[in-house]
């Protein structure tokens, strides 16, 4: 099976050397995605809005790959401030209501100080 690379056009993809998603052998691997609005390269202040943006970007990449949030089997959340993480639960619980993926939350510094959440997922291609 061929490997397919998906880009969102984020300047980070070119500068750092990665794809938003890679489709291989029935899997979709989506890179850590932050809350930028990639059309305007603006970042909202709120962790909840950043979470929504990140999930929207991830959803679009999954759709382009032929999958969806409903087919996510693994999700990793990275937040610099663990105290802000519960604010995102209403958003993530809706996004993954059907998939109920295995999940991990890690508290760690992100690339830029304005980044309040980064989300990485692995999904299956539906049969």
């Amino acid at each position: 099976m061929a490997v397919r690379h998906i880009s969102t056009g984020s300047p980070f993809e070119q500068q750092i050397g990665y794809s938003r998603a890679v489709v291989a052998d029935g899997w979709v691997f989506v890179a850590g995605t932050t809350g930028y609005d990639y059309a305007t390269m603006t970042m909202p202040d709120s962790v909840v809005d950043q979470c929504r943006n990140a999930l929207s970007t991830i959803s679009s990449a999954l759709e382009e790959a032929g999958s969806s949030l409903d087919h996510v089997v693994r999700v990793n959340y990275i937040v610099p401030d663990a105290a802000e993480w519960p604010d995102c639960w209403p958003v993530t619980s809706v996004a993954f209501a059907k998939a109920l993926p295995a999940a991990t939350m890690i508290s760690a510094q992100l690339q830029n100080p304005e980044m309040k959440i980064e989300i990485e997922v692995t999904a299956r291609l539906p049969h």
Side-chain angles (χ1 to χ4, degrees):
M1 179 179 241
V3 172
R4 187 162 55 109
H5 298 88
I6 295 171
S7 172
T8 57
S10 160
F12 295 127
E13 294 170 23
Q14 181 66 28
Q15 292 168 351
I16 298 170
Y18 71 96
S19 297
R20 176 63 47 208
V22 176
V23 184
D25 298 326
W27 293 98
V28 185
F29 303 94
V30 181
T33 303
T34 61
Y36 281 104
D37 174 339
Y38 288 109
T40 62
M41 282 310 293
T42 58
M43 178 72 82
D45 291 329
S46 148
V47 68
V48 174
D49 289 338
Q50 289 188 27
C51 183
R52 282 191 188 103
N53 281 1
L55 288 169
S56 177
T57 300
I58 290 166
S59 180
S60 294
L62 289 170
E63 287 175 19
E64 186 173 337
S67 190
S68 73
L69 292 175
D70 291 344
H71 299 286
V72 171
V73 296
R74 182 78 170 130
V75 59
N76 290 309
Y77 303 100
I78 306 162
V79 294
D81 182 353
E84 290 187 329
W85 169 230
D87 295 340
C88 295
W89 295 356
V91 176
T92 60
S93 66
V94 170
F96 296 116
K98 183 173 179 182
L100 297 174
T104 300
M105 188 285 286
I106 300 164
S107 182
Q109 182 178 347
L110 297 177
Q111 180 174 304
N112 294 336
E114 69 271 15
M115 296 174 175
K116 295 184 177 183
I117 189 166
E118 185 168 344
I119 304 170
E120 172 188 58
V121 306
T122 302
R124 294 285 296 165
L125 291 174
H127 292 105

